[in-house]
């Protein structure tokens, strides 16, 4: 039995031909709020990427922004079939890396898609993917260390929101609001007779 996207693609194919049908079907996925019956699939991106017409994609199509965005959403909602990504990589590695970057999972080391991406890296041994994963691991470790530092500082300061707002207001007054002497150095015209400096407000 054909899924929603396969049926839609078939209709588009008969009307416009393969090239335009592939453009329109990914636009349907990304820009229409239709929620097809999911059935055994996890979500509409899962349905889309497991459709038969995906095998018809060319290098130019996987390099297009819409297909990269579509794959990024598939990755974001968790990769369910590793072969989808492998087939995409075989067409264009850099587009796959872009899709991972766009997916928003870079700093989320616990995301399930990372396990599959790492498996793919082991299976395919592509230098670009391995290098990318090393950079991602470095970013993730740096992010974790920054979070830990933040938590330590937060505990040491133990200030509430109101106190933080007061401090930021004082900082703004001290450094961001121009005083009379700094106004006189600004490169635009102002009324010398006007007396509305920060001190007099």
């Amino acid at each position: 039995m054909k899924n929603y996207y396969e049926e839609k693609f078939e209709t588009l194919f008969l009307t416009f031909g393969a090239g335009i049908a592939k453009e329109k079907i990914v636009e349907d996925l990304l820009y229409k709020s239709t929620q097809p019956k999911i059935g055994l699939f996890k979500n509409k991106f899962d349905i889309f990427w497991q459709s038969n017409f995906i095998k018809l994609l060319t290098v130019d199509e996987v390099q297009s922004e819409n297909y990269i965005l579509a794959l990024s959403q598939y990755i974001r909602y968790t990769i369910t079939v590793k072969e989808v990504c492998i087939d995409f990589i075989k067409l264009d590695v850099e587009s796959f890396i872009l899709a991972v970057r766009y997916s928003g999972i870079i700093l989320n080391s616990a995301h399930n898609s990372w396990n599959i991406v790492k498996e793919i890296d082991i299976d395919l041994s592509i230098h670009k993917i391995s290098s990318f994963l090393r950079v991602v691991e470095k970013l993730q470790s740096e992010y974790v260390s920054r979070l830990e530092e933040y938590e330590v500082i937060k505990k040491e300061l133990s200030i509430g929101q109101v106190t933080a707002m007061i401090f930021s207001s004082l900082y703004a007054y001290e450094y961001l609001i121009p005083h009379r002497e700094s106004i006189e150095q600004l490169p635009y015209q102002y009324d010398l007779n006007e007396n509305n400096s920060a001190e007099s407000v």
Side-chain angles (χ1 to χ4, degrees):
M1 187 176 158
K2 291 179 180 173
N3 67 45
Y4 168 82
Y5 291 106
E6 288 171 338
E7 288 175 2
K8 181 91 174 172
F9 179 78
E10 198 171 273
T11 306
L12 291 167
F13 178 80
L14 293 172
T15 309
F16 301 105
I20 293 173
K22 286 184 271 185
E23 285 176 31
K24 289 192 176 289
I25 196 72
V26 74
E27 288 171 2
D28 186 277
L29 170 74
L30 293 172
Y31 306 116
K32 287 192 180 171
S33 59
T34 52
Q35 188 63 42
K37 288 183 182 175
I38 293 174
L40 300 172
F41 299 98
K42 281 189 153 189
N43 53 55
K44 69 180 189 175
F45 296 98
D46 192 23
I47 297 170
F48 180 85
W49 284 105
Q50 291 189 54
S51 299
N52 293 331
F53 60 84
I54 293 299
K55 293 178 177 69
L56 303 174
L57 293 179
T58 64
V59 174
D60 289 338
E61 285 152 356
V62 298
Q63 288 176 342
S64 73
E65 187 175 356
N66 282 342
Y67 274 98
I68 292 170
L69 287 173
L71 186 67
S72 76
Q73 293 304 304
Y74 179 64
I75 294 166
R76 180 174 160 238
Y77 287 112
T78 303
I79 300 165
T80 54
V81 179
K82 182 168 72 170
E83 285 69 30
V84 168
C85 294
I86 290 172
D87 292 341
F88 199 93
I89 289 167
K90 286 178 182 174
L91 290 170
D92 190 44
V93 176
E94 290 182 9
S95 294
F96 174 76
I97 291 170
L98 266 178
V100 174
R101 290 176 58 196
Y102 291 168
S103 69
I105 67 167
I106 294 290
L107 295 179
N108 184 359
S109 58
H111 197 282
N112 292 332
S113 288
W114 283 122
N115 297 329
I116 296 159
V117 172
K118 288 174 184 174
E119 281 178 31
I120 291 168
D121 179 45
I122 292 166
D123 293 348
L124 299 180
S125 298
I126 296 173
H127 177 70
K128 283 185 179 180
I129 295 175
S130 301
S131 299
F132 171 68
L133 285 176
R134 282 195 301 275
V135 170
V136 167
E137 286 167 5
K138 177 70 174 163
L139 287 171
Q140 288 171 346
S141 68
E142 290 295 323
Y143 177 69
V144 168
S145 69
R146 299 285 188 296
L147 274 180
E148 289 167 356
E149 283 179 43
Y150 165 75
E151 289 300 327
V152 168
I153 292 168
K154 187 175 155 187
K155 284 179 186 172
E156 287 175 3
L157 289 177
S158 66
I159 60 172
Q161 287 181 333
V162 174
T163 310
M165 287 171 59
I166 291 168
F167 283 146
S168 64
S169 297
L170 291 171
Y171 175 84
Y173 174 77
E174 184 69 28
Y175 297 104
L176 303 178
I177 297 173
H179 300 284
R180 172 62 70 193
E181 56 275 5
S182 59
I183 288 176
E184 290 170 359
Q185 298 172 6
L186 292 175
Y188 57 82
Q189 296 290 322
Y190 69 98
D191 187 358
L192 291 170
N193 299 323
E194 192 174 338
N195 191 15
N196 62 354
S197 67
E199 292 87 354
S200 63
V201 172

